C-alpha cells in the first residue's frame, strides 16, 4: 500500500489533482507503517471490479463501516498502523488493527497507534479501528495538531488500549477542532477519557459505551469550547470523577439532548 501512495503522489504532482486509491478486499499485513504523506483519498471496501465509488456494498443490514468486502490493515502489534502527515487526506472504508507505539520519545512518536495525524483537513470515515495499543494520546486514533480541522465520521472505534489519555480517540492541540459524528466508541481503555479525550471539538449523534479509565469516558479539556449533541453515553466505568463526561471548565463545555445512563463513577462532572 505504501507503493500505491507513492505512485499517487507522483500522479498528483504531474496532473495537479488529488489522486484516489481504491483497495480491494483482503488482509494487508504491513511491513512498515502506512505513511500517507501527500494529499490523497484512499478508499477500501471494493471487490475489485467496480467502476464507481458508489458501487461498494455494505453487509446486509450493515452499519456504515461494515463492508461486504472488508479491507484489513494489520500492523501485527509491531508499529503504528497508519500515519497521515498531509493536509486534506481522506481515509475511508478500512479496518485498522494491531497498531502499537511504545517506549520513550515525544508525544508525536507515541500518539495514535491505529491512525495518527498531525495535519488538518483530514477525514477518517466508514472505518473500524480496533485492538491498537499506545502509550500517549489516542490509542485508536490520535491527533496532535494546532492547525485545521479533523472529522471522524461513521466509524467504529473499539477495544483499543492506551496508557494515557483517550483510549479510543484523542486530540492534543488547542487550535484544531475535532468532530466525531455518527460513531460508536466502545470498550476502549485510557486514563483521562477512556473513550474520547479532546481539547476542542464536538461529538454528534454518537455512542460512547463500555469504556474504562481513571477519569470519564469523555474528557473535555478547558482550552476551548467543546460540545456533545444527540449522543448516548452509557455503561462506562471509571475509578475517579465523572463516569460519563468530565468538563474541565464548565463555561467552555455543553451537553445537549444526550442520554447519559448506567455509568459507574457518575454522570457529568463540571469542575
Amino acid at each position: 500500500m505504501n507503493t500505491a501512495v507513492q505512485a499517487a503522489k507522483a500522479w498528483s504532482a504531474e496532473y495537479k489533482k488529488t489522486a484516489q486509491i481504491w483497495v480491494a478486499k483482503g488482509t494487508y499485513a504491513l511491513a512498515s507503517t502506512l505513511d500517507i504523506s501527500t494529499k490523497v483519498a484512499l478508499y477500501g471496501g471494493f471487490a475489485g471490479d467496480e467502476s464507481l465509488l458508489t458501487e461498494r456494498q455494505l453487509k446486509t443490514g450493515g452499519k456504515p463501516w461494515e463492508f461486504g468486502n472488508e479491507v484489513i490493515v494489520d500492523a501485527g502489534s509491531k508499529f503504528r498502523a497508519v500515519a497521515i502527515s498531509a493536509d486534506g487526506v481522506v481515509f475511508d472504508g478500512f479496518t485498522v488493527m494491531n497498531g502499537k507505539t511504545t517506549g520513550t520519545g515525544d508525544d508525536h512518536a507515541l500518539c495514535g497507534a491505529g491512525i495518527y495525524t498531525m495535519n488538518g483537513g483530514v477525514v477518517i470515515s466508514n472505518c473500524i479501528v480496533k485492538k491498537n495499543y499506545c502509550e500517549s494520546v489516542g490509542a485508536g486514533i490520535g491527533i496532535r495538531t494546532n492547525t485545521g480541522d479533523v472529522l471522524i465520521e461513521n466509524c467504529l472505534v473499539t477495544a483499543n488500549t492506551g496508557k494515557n489519555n483517550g483510549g479510543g480517540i484523542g486530540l492534543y492541540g488547542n487550535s484544531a477542532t475535532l468532530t466525531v459524528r455518527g460513531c460508536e466508541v466502545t470498550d476502549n481503555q485510557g486514563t483521562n477519557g477512556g473513550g474520547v479525550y479532546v481539547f476542542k471539538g464536538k461529538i454528534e449523534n454518537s455512542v460512547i459505551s463500555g469504556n474504562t479509565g481513571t477519569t470519564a469516558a469523555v474528557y473535555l479539556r478547558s482550552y476551548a469550547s467543546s460540545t456533545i449533541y444527540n449522543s448516548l453515553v452509557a455503561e462506562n466505568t471509571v475509578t475517579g470523577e465523572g463516569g460519563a463526561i468530565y468538563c474541565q471548565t464548565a463555561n467552555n463545555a455543553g451537553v445537549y439532548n444526550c442520554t447519559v445512563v448506567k455509568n459507574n463513577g457518575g454522570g457529568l462532572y463540571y469542575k
Side-chain angles (χ1 to χ4, degrees), residues 45-66:
F46 292 94
D49 57 359
E50 295 89 349
S51 57
L52 297 172
L53 183 60
T54 54
E55 291 178 342
R56 293 187 300 176
Q57 296 292 317
L58 297 176
K59 294 178 180 178
T60 302
K63 296 180 179 180
W65 50 80
E66 293 179 328

Side-chain angles (χ1 to χ4, degrees), residues 1 4 11 13 27 52 57 63 88 91 137 165 187 208 221 225-226 245 252 265 269-270:
M1 294 180 73
W11 186 92
T27 298
L52 297 172
Q57 296 292 317
K63 296 180 179 180
F91 190 79
V137 175
N165 301 326
D187 302 315
I208 317 292
R221 286 293 296 267
S225 177
S226 294
I245 303 166
N252 286 342
Y269 182 92
Y270 284 90

Side-chain angles (χ1 to χ4, degrees), residues 12-226:
S12 295
E14 180 175 354
Y15 293 100
K16 311 302 181 185
K17 297 180 180 180
T18 301
Q20 291 189 7
I21 299 172
W22 294 7
V23 184
K25 64 181 179 181
T27 298
Y28 294 80
L30 298 175
S32 61
T33 298
L34 176 57
D35 182 15
I36 306 171
S37 58
T38 189
K39 183 179 179 181
V40 65
L42 291 92
Y43 295 99
F46 292 94
D49 57 359
E50 295 89 349
S51 57
L52 297 172
L53 183 60
T54 54
E55 291 178 342
R56 293 187 300 176
Q57 296 292 317
L58 297 176
K59 294 178 180 178
T60 302
K63 296 180 179 180
W65 50 80
E66 293 179 328
F67 288 94
N69 298 299
E70 188 176 13
V71 178
I72 299 172
V73 179
D74 190 342
S77 298
K78 298 175 183 177
F79 40 73
R80 174 184 290 128
V82 179
I84 300 171
S85 57
D87 293 341
V89 168
V90 175
F91 190 79
D92 181 297
F94 295 89
T95 295
V96 177
M97 62 186 296
N98 293 330
K100 187 176 183 180
T101 60
T102 60
T104 60
D106 63 20
D107 283 343
H108 286 284
L110 301 180
C111 282
I115 302 173
Y116 170 64
T117 181
M118 63 187 79
N119 290 73
V122 171
V123 176
I124 300 166
S125 52
N126 305 317
C127 288
I128 299 172
V129 183
K130 67 179 183 179
K131 298 182 180 179
N132 300 285
Y133 173 89
C134 93
E135 296 189 348
S136 187
V137 175
I141 303 174
I143 303 126
R144 187 174 172 87
T145 180
N146 281 312
T147 61
D149 301 333
V150 175
L151 171 63
I152 303 172
E153 186 170 32
N154 295 335
C155 290
L156 171 64
V157 182
T158 187
N160 301 286
T161 302
K163 291 185 67 176
N164 207 314
N165 301 326
I169 300 169
L171 166 66
Y172 194 94
N174 56 14
S175 296
T177 299
L178 170 66
T179 298
V180 177
R181 179 184 300 141
C183 294
E184 294 184 10
V185 183
T186 65
D187 302 315
N188 302 285
Q189 179 181 342
T191 304
N192 297 318
V196 182
Y197 175 92
V198 59
F199 273 44
K200 177 185 177 184
K202 55 187 175 181
I203 300 170
E204 304 172 342
N205 304 315
S206 293
V207 175
I208 317 292
S209 69
N211 302 285
T212 60
T214 302
T215 305
V218 179
Y219 192 104
L220 306 178
R221 286 293 296 267
S222 62
Y223 290 92
S225 177
S226 294

